[in-house]
Amino acid sequence: MKLTPEQQAILDGERGEVPAKVMKTLVMYGETFGAETMVPVTGRLGHTVISFGINAMKPVYDLYDRLLEAGMEFRQPFTADPLPLDRNVPSNLLQDLVFRQFMYKQQGRYEDQLRRMGMTSDRDFTCACYFDQVGNIPEKGDVLSWAESSAVSYANSVLGARCNRNSGIIDVFGSAVGYVPCFGLLTDEGRRASWVVEVRTTRRPEAQLLGSAVGMKVMEDVPYIRGLDTWLGTELNADARAYLKDFGAAAASNGAVGLYHVEHLTPEAVEQGEGLILPDAQVYVVDDAELDRVRASYPVMWKDPDAEPKLCFIGCPHLTMEQLADWTKKLEQGLKETGREKVTVPTVFTTAPAVLEEFNRGPYSVRLRKTGVILSYICPLMYMNNPLSKKMPVITNSNKLRTYTSARYYTDGEVLDILTGKEAK
Ligand code: F3S
């Protein structure tokens, strides 16, 4: 690794022993991936994937205590992933006990650490930190030190920023010293596509299903997607951005995609077009039959596959304002058609705290609550990832939640039919 004099000075301990160790960790991390240089983090804000205080991760919080005790100066303030707990989300007494007394016992301690390390605000716990209401929106070409896979995918692909798929802790370390190792998605070559995905469906593909198909096929490679502009248009408007948010989260979790290009739509594809495609790129054709095949391959993890759903989570990744309004209208219409007043399954919509505030000031909030839907700012994955919740038959439209938990995936249309009573599960 060739370091600049300033980077070498940090490594040599000029800023103190702890920053030197942080720098050493980043250098070793970079060397593992063949990085030859460290580059400055240029994004205005960092983002950390660890937002939860669980006992199993006590060594992480001990480590952060050491950074704070050493007076480590954090070069970049940051936002963080969603919080794990919200009393509005239905839970039984046993779950409450497990969540608060055992699982998330370190939560208070960790949130206090985050504030002291440079968390921007208590309102900024969301995986969709790039929403206008939150404001952590990197510029094109910015170098980032993030780790949340859905946010990294969005920043790289939709915003044209540059970020590797780092891990928790590494994200905070990069924000602390202000440098990250240069490899992979930070380089021009690493951003070229080794796959061409041809979308040839007869209708707009479900974002979370297409993302799943692409992720499982290309894994950690970069795909160049043709044919999606037929369904999304060529303008990165609110609808296209929400679609790509959901598509990217599914591709990042069902595979390990950190960057994708959509022909005529995403910034680098618009600028460089087919020049982004590597000469020996492989081709993956996605048609209706392929999406059906992928969908049919999902295992049902429920103990009783015929159980009635007990809970429904929508909003992984967090929902945009437009998605909240859209769901409200569709639920109202569906309930009107079936002559019902409330959704048939306890349902939680999750979004960023700042979006929630704005939504609550607008006309749709009362209308949505009238359908029985509960609004929250949590991460559904953190609700699901324990033995008690695992046993619950939970449904979702999120392919990320399906992948990491026992939740069962349904398309938006199917969820709507279940919630409005048009179709029994
Ligand atoms: Fe966000 Fe949690 Fe889903 S971080 S993408 S809501 S798993």
Side-chain angles (χ1 to χ4, degrees), residues 385-404:
N385 252 352
N386 64 80
L388 287 177
S389 304
K390 255 184 210 157
K391 285 192 191 140
M392 286 172 72
V394 173
I395 61 170
T396 182
N397 68 343
S398 165
N399 234 324
K400 181 170 180 179
L401 195 62
R402 173 196 72 79
T403 303
Y404 293 142

Side-chain angles (χ1 to χ4, degrees), residues 25-244:
T25 307
L26 289 166
V27 168
M28 288 170 70
Y29 169 61
E31 281 174 347
T32 307
F33 290 96
E36 292 179 357
T37 57
M38 300 284 287
V39 288
V41 174
T42 61
R44 193 172 59 83
L45 296 174
H47 180 85
T48 183
V49 70
I50 304 174
S51 57
F52 44 90
I54 54 171
N55 279 337
M57 281 175 50
K58 215 168 144 283
V60 176
Y61 318 126
D62 293 346
L63 170 73
Y64 287 174
D65 266 347
R66 292 193 55 192
L67 301 190
L68 288 163
E69 279 159 17
M72 177 107 199
E73 187 194 335
F74 287 79
R75 293 284 149 136
Q76 243 195 346
F78 52 84
T79 51
D81 261 13
L83 290 169
L85 299 172
D86 177 1
R87 289 203 185 274
N88 290 320
V89 178
S91 56
N92 59 36
L93 270 177
L94 191 56
Q95 280 174 314
D96 273 348
L97 188 77
V98 169
F99 288 161
R100 289 175 197 279
Q101 300 300 320
F102 299 103
M103 250 184 100
Y104 294 113
K105 224 175 162 187
Q106 303 287 325
Q107 192 61 33
R109 173 191 179 192
Y110 182 52
E111 285 180 36
D112 182 53
Q113 285 182 327
L114 286 175
R115 282 180 207 112
R116 289 163 61 208
M117 291 195 299
M119 174 94 193
T120 44
S121 151
D122 282 356
R123 294 166 76 243
D124 293 344
F125 285 102
T126 174
C127 44
C129 58
Y130 44 79
F131 282 170
D132 289 345
Q133 294 86 350
V134 187
N136 186 355
I137 311 168
E139 301 281 333
K140 184 165 178 295
D142 267 344
V143 173
L144 311 178
S145 182
W146 294 8
E148 162 53 45
S149 65
S150 65
V152 167
S153 157
Y154 190 92
N156 274 322
S157 314
V158 182
L159 303 176
R162 296 191 169 210
C163 187
N164 277 314
R165 281 188 53 131
N166 304 300
S167 66
I169 306 178
I170 288 288
D171 54 5
V172 167
F173 277 14
S175 282
V177 292
Y179 293 106
V180 282
C182 187
F183 67 94
L185 299 178
L186 264 52
T187 67
D188 289 344
E189 199 54 24
R191 296 177 75 84
R192 296 185 68 193
S194 54
W195 279 91
V196 173
V197 176
E198 302 273 3
V199 176
R200 294 188 198 152
T201 51
T202 57
R203 55 189 173 272
R204 174 168 148 144
E206 193 86 4
Q208 300 252 8
L209 199 48
L210 180 63
S212 163
V214 171
M216 287 200 272
K217 176 60 80 176
V218 314
M219 295 311 290
E220 76 279 19
D221 290 344
V222 178
Y224 182 92
I225 302 161
R226 284 200 186 115
L228 196 51
D229 52 324
T230 310
W231 305 107
L232 300 187
T234 55
E235 192 199 329
L236 274 174
N237 54 23
D239 175 57
R241 290 200 306 267
Y243 184 100
L244 295 177

